[in-house]
Amino acid sequence: MKRYIILLSGIGLFLFFPRSFAQTKVGGIVTDEKGAPVPFANVVFTGSTEGTITDESGRFYLQSNKTYTKITVAFLGYKTVTVPVKPRDLHLKIVLKPEAQTLGDVKLYVGKPKNKGNPAVKILKKIWARKHRNGTRVFDYYEAEKYEKIEFDLYNVTEKLKKSRLFKGLEFVFNYVDTSRITGKPFLPVFINEALYKIYGRNIPPRKYREDLLAQKASGVENNEFVNMYLKDLYLQYDVYKNFIHVFGKDFVSPLSKLGPLTYYYVLSDTAQYNGITSYNIIFYPRRRGDLAFKGDMWIADSLWSVQNISMHISGKANVNWIKDFYLEQDFQRINDTVFVLKRDHITSQLGIENMDKATDILVKRTSIYDNYVFNRPHPPEFYDEETDIYDKKIYTKSDTFWQKTRPEKLNRNEKGIYQMLDSLQKTPKFKRMTDLATILGSGYAYIKYFDYGPVFSTVGYNDVEGIRLRVGGRTYFETNDLYRAEAYTAYGFRDKRFKYGLKLSGVLNIKPRVFAQAGYRNDVEQIGVSLTSLEDDVLSRDFASSSVFATGDKSKLTHVRIFDANIAFEPRKNIELSGGFHYKNLVSAHPRFHLDYIDKNGRIRTQVRQPEWYVQFKSTPGRKTVGYGVKRYDVNTDYPILLLRYTRGFDHGASDAFTYSKIQFYYSQYINIGAVGVSFVQAEAGKTFGKIPLALLNVVPGNQSFFYVKQSFQLLNYYEFITDTYLSFKWMHNFEGRIFSKIPLINRTKWRELVFFNSVWGDISPGSVQINASGIPYQTPNPVYFEYGAGITNILKFLEFDAFWRGNYRHRGGQDFFVKMNFRLNF
């Protein structure tokens, strides 16, 4: 199962809608008389409502299960033409001739209609007036059954791919190649997942939503409860009536948004009967290159001003990565005289490298069908908080007879074949080797029966104390949901000629509610003081700053640590954790130029701290989605808030190399989507220590002497530049996601994105802690507040980022007043 998860993370996302074999397939290009492509032209099978619009290059593809002999092509400012077609006619070239047009008393301009007096915008305003009287939001309570089908495909399967060495010995998979009804290109289905849900909603305060997984079936995958959680996070439930539609972490302006007229051009294309109701067909497309917007069309019911059908693509010029296309189509059904609710939802995503049209890409296709709606059947609020056990094996072992009776639509030939093909692939040695390689690249561990070797990327390191460092280690691994696990490593430094090592034992004592315990010991060299608040209690973790390969300035401030840690965590409810534990720290400088010396209670200078302490902690992560119930749980999303409160009590147990003190700490972070402005990340920290303590136990404001951006650090501070026992910190980063660059000619073609930063910290230190300092490092505190600011460009070559930072104060102190940091940021 682990191999599948890693493969899934490397594959990407795509959806498609399987239909029966098409009887009419047409495609080609639409141009004007000068040969220039006509984008966003409306192409329909004559006499029907089945159609599409041309892309930015004027190209189109359209297919139907019915037989048609003509297509009609129309666009503002041009004469409408009707063209005869054959059942398979994929190289059409249609030329549109200009024609001055008016609609009512409104002049319509070629390609760029005005909003004022535009009948399509008038219809849009009527939709806004009724948006809260449509959909399930109209009812206090609602229930429905939902069937969901997700499929992964290799898209644009070429003869070259079939003959490549990659598929040597796996040629049988190409017997399952089919043709996309959206583009006409060949694709190979490689995975299918089916799920059945019962959903419940409550629209009166407190608003609640519950979704129970009743059954699931996935091809070629064991423990497919993991698959379900990952795939569901790829695609949210999209509400086209909202102002923004969240796609792969980005907020696209909905064509039904009140911001729509500022983002889209709208064209009233047709009036026809749709599902027996007089309806208006409106085409929409982006005003500006690079805007996070869609192109497509929708059918609006007359007088009811409700969406009956909407289909839309992400604009090919939108500032998104790896997604060459995203297609969303929704059908709505009328349940009474005035209300429409969602009946069917289709999504297709094409993941690949832009500007490589001949490359083989990945498709993920989802079809969701809603049925058996029940309205205004009340349930108490606590009903919606109940959670079904998604790890119940009965959910994943339903018979084929059950699925044949339950599916609202039959699987087509290719979908049925996926189950057989994936089962055959699992038995193929070459496929196993491919998944093993994907596991190593994705997880950092190499699987050897019941054992994971790794992390492989930590095998070689370097710092000023150890010189070149070699590390070997691993962990026990029997299955993804191991309830107990042992982990160990050893490392050797060729300069200090010393072995380091660590051992940790972890176990889940109870699954629900979750009770988790771990204990471990580590003897190693590392850079301490690289964060004000530690978010994870992993005794074997070692910070990136402990390697000085890519660092500047004095790199000698390393510490030899011997740490024992034991802790236990209890989760009384989802995303709430109460924990407590015991630490024993033995800390001494690892470099002759760096000292942690202090004056003990007897007036003697000591170089080593042997400190026991215990702590209790509260942690809340609302909105966090995880998969698994074993020792290791996997985060499905990373955009959830984190709130942490911790109390630590140190005690001297009568020894002169330990201290008695109390420490309280607060941490909060959150991503904030600000719609049309971008995404912000904010982080606030506070802490205070009561009692005098030495340098090794104080709160060092985290510096960053590396060439890379480090999120938890202050980018221009040196290690140990500011030392505190009382601190307040605030950090802010905002990603405009290309919204500024998209309006600048030429630069808007790069898809670069703009970042801004602001980091600040205030701190102080008690006289008692200053008095016992014998380290040779003068204690300086950020009082008044230290701040730095920065601006960056990310998405350079899709992954590279450069951030320039400036000190706002405390300049000319021997540190960096200005520096450009590098970062690697992979985002859609």
Side-chain angles (χ1 to χ4, degrees):
M1 177 56 232
K2 178 184 61 174
R3 298 190 185 95
Y4 173 75
I5 291 178
I6 303 304
L7 209 69
L8 178 63
S9 65
I11 275 183
L13 324 159
F14 259 89
L15 185 137
F16 187 72
F17 335 114
R19 302 286 177 90
S20 56
F21 293 105
Q23 294 181 331
T24 309
K25 297 181 179 181
V26 296
I29 187 171
V30 179
T31 68
D32 61 16
E33 290 182 307
K34 297 180 180 180
V38 178
F40 312 121
N42 195 28
V43 183
V44 297
F45 287 117
T46 305
S48 78
T49 58
E50 293 185 69
T52 187
I53 62 173
T54 57
D55 63 16
E56 285 88 345
S57 302
R59 296 192 175 276
F60 70 94
Y61 176 83
L62 182 63
Q63 76 175 43
S64 174
N65 299 327
K66 300 178 182 178
T67 300
Y68 291 101
T69 59
K70 296 178 182 179
I71 61 171
T72 299
V73 183
F75 192 61
L76 286 175
Y78 296 93
K79 294 179 180 179
T80 299
V81 298
T82 299
V83 179
V85 295
K86 302 172 185 177
R88 185 178 177 87
D89 215 338
L90 301 177
H91 302 286
L92 295 168
K93 185 173 182 180
I94 301 168
V95 179
L96 298 184
K97 297 180 179 181
E99 176 185 70
Q101 295 187 13
T102 59
L103 188 56
D105 58 352
V106 182
K107 182 76 174 180
L108 297 179
Y109 297 87
V110 175
K112 297 182 178 180
K114 292 185 176 181
N115 288 328
K116 186 177 181 180
N118 187 337
V121 175
K122 290 181 179 180
I123 293 172
L124 193 63
K125 290 178 179 179
K126 293 179 180 180
I127 296 173
W128 296 342
R130 287 201 80 254
K131 66 184 295 184
H132 296 297
R133 287 177 281 172
N134 253 314
T136 55
R137 62 175 63 85
V138 175
F139 304 96
D140 291 346
Y141 302 89
Y142 65 92
E143 303 174 19
E145 293 177 1
K146 182 176 77 169
Y147 167 79
E148 189 171 79
K149 177 171 56 183
I150 296 179
E151 180 182 322
F152 282 72
D153 303 327
L154 288 179
Y155 179 66
N156 196 19
V157 177
T158 63
E159 290 300 319
K160 183 178 179 180
L161 178 69
K162 294 179 182 179
K163 296 176 182 178
S164 68
R165 294 180 60 185
L166 180 66
F167 285 93
K168 187 175 181 180
L170 304 176
E171 292 85 357
F172 68 90
V173 302
F174 296 111
N175 295 330
Y176 301 90
V177 170
D178 199 356
T179 303
S180 165
R181 80 173 184 90
I182 305 298
T183 64
K185 293 184 178 181
F187 69 91
L188 173 66
V190 296
F191 170 80
I192 187 171
N193 178 84
E194 298 179 89
L196 182 67
Y197 301 90
K198 178 72 174 181
I199 62 174
Y200 305 87
R202 174 188 170 105
N203 289 320
I204 59 176
R207 296 175 65 90
K208 299 280 187 177
Y209 180 81
R210 171 175 168 176
E211 186 173 83
D212 293 349
L213 177 62
L214 306 180
Q216 187 187 0
K217 182 178 183 180
S219 57
V221 178
E222 298 178 0
N223 301 320
N224 55 3
E225 64 271 18
F226 286 78
V227 180
N228 181 65
M229 289 295 292
Y230 273 98
L231 294 183
K232 284 192 67 61
D233 196 62
L234 298 181
Y235 298 113
L236 305 175
Q237 301 302 316
Y238 300 112
D239 185 349
V240 295
Y241 284 100
K242 289 187 175 181
N243 286 329
F244 295 95
I245 298 176
H246 199 64
V247 179
F248 300 121
K250 297 184 178 297
D251 284 329
F252 285 71
V253 178
S254 169
L256 295 175
S257 166
K258 290 189 176 182
L259 298 174
L262 301 176
T263 308
Y264 294 97
Y265 291 115
Y266 295 93
V267 178
L268 178 58
S269 174
D270 195 7
T271 303
Q273 293 291 307
Y274 194 97
N275 290 335
I277 302 173
T278 300
S279 302
Y280 302 104
N281 184 235
I282 296 176
I283 294 174
F284 50 87
Y285 47 94
R287 286 178 171 268
R288 289 170 295 275
R289 179 190 184 104
D291 277 0
L292 297 179
F294 300 94
K295 59 181 180 180
D297 72 304
M298 51 188 168
W299 285 92
I300 309 299
D302 186 20
S303 72
L304 299 174
W305 312 118
S306 301
V307 178
Q308 288 207 78
N309 171 273
I310 185 169
S311 59
M312 52 193 185
H313 294 259
I314 286 179
S315 169
K317 308 301 181 183
N319 193 336
V320 292
N321 293 331
W322 320 115
I323 303 173
K324 297 172 77 169
D325 194 11
F326 173 88
Y327 178 76
L328 169 65
E329 182 178 355
Q330 291 185 336
D331 290 299
F332 296 82
Q333 64 175 343
R334 189 175 180 180
I335 58 170
N336 58 33
D337 292 340
T338 60
V339 177
F340 287 78
V341 296
L342 184 62
K343 172 64 177 177
R344 188 183 185 90
D345 177 274
H346 310 285
I347 299 173
T348 299
S349 298
Q350 179 183 348
L351 184 69
I353 301 175
E354 294 96 324
N355 303 319
M356 294 185 64
D357 294 336
K358 296 183 179 181
T360 299
D361 299 326
I362 301 295
L363 292 179
V364 179
K365 311 178 294 185
R366 184 187 77 183
T367 300
S368 299
I369 300 174
Y370 297 81
D371 205 0
N372 297 325
Y373 277 100
V374 176
F375 299 104
N376 290 333
R377 178 189 291 170
H379 295 285
E382 56 271 18
F383 168 81
Y384 298 90
D385 295 328
E386 296 177 9
E387 296 182 15
T388 55
D389 182 8
I390 65 169
Y391 302 108
D392 184 352
K393 299 300 182 183
K394 295 179 182 178
I395 294 175
Y396 309 99
T397 55
K398 302 293 185 182
S399 66
D400 290 341
T401 302
F402 168 86
W403 285 104
Q404 290 170 5
K405 293 180 179 179
T406 304
R407 290 186 186 105
E409 62 181 20
K410 294 181 179 180
L411 298 181
N412 62 29
R413 179 181 67 88
N414 295 91
E415 292 167 338
K416 292 177 181 177
I418 294 176
Y419 286 108
Q420 179 182 351
M421 182 186 69
L422 263 292
D423 289 341
S424 299
L425 273 177
Q426 300 298 318
K427 303 172 184 177
T428 306
K430 183 171 184 177
F431 183 74
K432 183 181 183 301
R433 291 194 297 270
M434 292 166 64
T435 57
D436 287 345
L437 177 61
T439 299
I440 295 172
L441 295 176
S443 72
Y445 285 89
Y447 180 71
I448 307 168
K449 193 173 183 179
Y450 306 136
F451 181 77
D452 264 349
Y453 169 78
V456 294
F457 304 118
S458 299
T459 301
V460 181
Y462 177 87
N463 60 59
D464 279 12
V465 171
E466 298 175 280
I468 295 175
R469 168 190 170 103
L470 295 182
R471 179 191 185 279
V472 294
R475 63 192 182 187
T476 59
Y477 189 96
F478 296 92
E479 63 168 356
T480 306
N481 281 318
D482 281 343
L483 295 180
Y484 300 95
R485 189 166 287 172
E487 185 173 353
Y489 78 92
T490 186
Y492 182 77
F494 285 87
R495 178 175 295 171
D496 66 354
K497 295 180 171 54
R498 297 177 64 176
F499 280 97
K500 294 84 183 177
Y501 54 91
L503 172 68
K504 183 177 70 172
L505 302 175
S506 307
V508 177
L509 307 183
N510 194 67
I511 295 176
K512 193 173 182 180
R514 180 177 174 88
V515 180
F516 173 75
Q518 60 181 345
Y521 177 79
R522 176 162 61 99
N523 181 336
D524 211 333
V525 171
E526 73 168 307
Q527 178 73 58
I528 63 174
V530 293
S531 64
L532 289 171
T533 311
S534 175
L535 298 180
E536 300 294 337
D537 294 305
D538 184 355
V539 70
L540 296 191
S541 65
R542 189 169 180 264
D543 194 87
F544 167 77
S546 301
S547 176
S548 59
V549 176
F550 302 104
T552 63
D554 183 2
K555 298 171 282 188
S556 65
K557 296 182 173 66
L558 295 168
T559 302
H560 187 191
V561 301
R562 298 177 181 87
I563 300 176
F564 172 78
D565 175 80
N567 60 76
I568 187 168
F570 168 61
E571 297 183 8
R573 57 183 299 178
K574 186 176 181 180
N575 296 329
I576 296 292
E577 180 185 276
L578 305 175
S579 61
F582 172 80
H583 294 301
Y584 182 83
K585 304 176 182 179
N586 187 325
L587 308 173
V588 65
S589 171
H591 197 286
R593 293 203 311 267
F594 174 57
H595 303 284
L596 295 172
D597 298 4
Y598 61 93
I599 302 171
D600 70 11
K601 64 185 69 174
N602 298 316
R604 291 179 297 182
I605 294 180
R606 289 187 173 270
T607 61
Q608 193 167 15
V609 176
R610 297 181 177 90
Q611 183 64 54
E613 62 183 22
W614 57 264
Y615 75 93
V616 291
Q617 177 178 289
F618 169 85
K619 186 176 181 180
S620 173
T621 53
R624 180 190 183 196
K625 301 173 185 176
T626 61
V627 60
Y629 58 85
V631 167
K632 176 66 174 177
R633 291 189 299 181
Y634 301 88
D635 277 353
V636 177
N637 62 325
T638 59
D639 57 352
Y640 52 86
I642 300 175
L643 171 64
L644 183 144
L645 296 170
R646 176 184 294 146
Y647 173 78
T648 303
R649 178 68 174 175
F651 50 96
D652 62 18
H653 59 92
S656 56
D657 53 2
F659 295 82
T660 297
Y661 58 90
S662 295
K663 181 184 294 187
I664 55 174
Q665 291 175 285
F666 164 85
Y667 174 92
Y668 182 78
S669 66
Q670 182 173 4
Y671 286 90
I672 303 173
N673 282 302
I674 316 178
V677 182
V679 180
S680 278
F681 174 78
V682 293
Q683 176 183 300
E685 296 177 88
K688 182 172 179 60
T689 301
F690 300 89
K692 59 182 180 181
I693 54 177
L695 176 60
L697 301 177
L698 287 169
N699 292 113
V700 179
V701 177
N704 178 14
Q705 293 180 202
S706 77
F707 295 112
F708 296 93
Y709 171 81
V710 179
K711 188 176 182 180
Q712 297 297 327
S713 300
F714 288 83
Q715 306 307 316
L716 298 179
L717 289 183
N718 292 328
Y719 302 138
Y720 291 89
E721 184 169 345
F722 288 131
I723 299 165
T724 74
D725 61 12
T726 304
Y727 62 88
L728 291 170
S729 167
F730 176 78
K731 295 179 182 178
W732 172 65
M733 181 192 75
H734 186 78
N735 188 338
F736 289 96
E737 297 188 320
R739 287 172 169 85
I740 298 174
F741 288 158
S742 68
K743 297 172 176 59
I744 302 175
L746 299 182
I747 292 181
N748 60 9
R749 297 177 181 273
T750 65
K751 294 190 176 182
W752 291 348
R753 298 167 188 171
E754 323 83 355
L755 301 171
V756 292
F757 304 85
F758 179 80
N759 302 325
S760 63
V761 61
W762 171 89
D764 206 350
I765 192 167
S766 66
S769 293
V770 175
Q771 290 169 4
I772 66 172
N773 177 30
S775 66
I777 298 176
Y779 288 179
Q780 300 185 43
T781 62
N783 188 1
V785 172
Y786 166 82
F787 70 95
E788 61 187 26
Y789 53 90
I793 299 176
T794 188
N795 207 44
I796 301 171
L797 302 177
K798 308 302 180 190
F799 67 92
L800 196 58
E801 172 180 319
F802 291 99
D803 305 315
F805 287 91
W806 294 263
R807 286 201 186 207
N809 55 3
Y810 293 95
R811 299 171 61 85
H812 312 301
R813 293 159 47 97
Q816 299 170 338
D817 294 336
F818 168 80
F819 203 82
V820 176
K821 303 283 185 176
M822 182 187 295
N823 192 20
F824 300 102
R825 194 186 298 268
L826 282 171
N827 289 319
F828 285 108

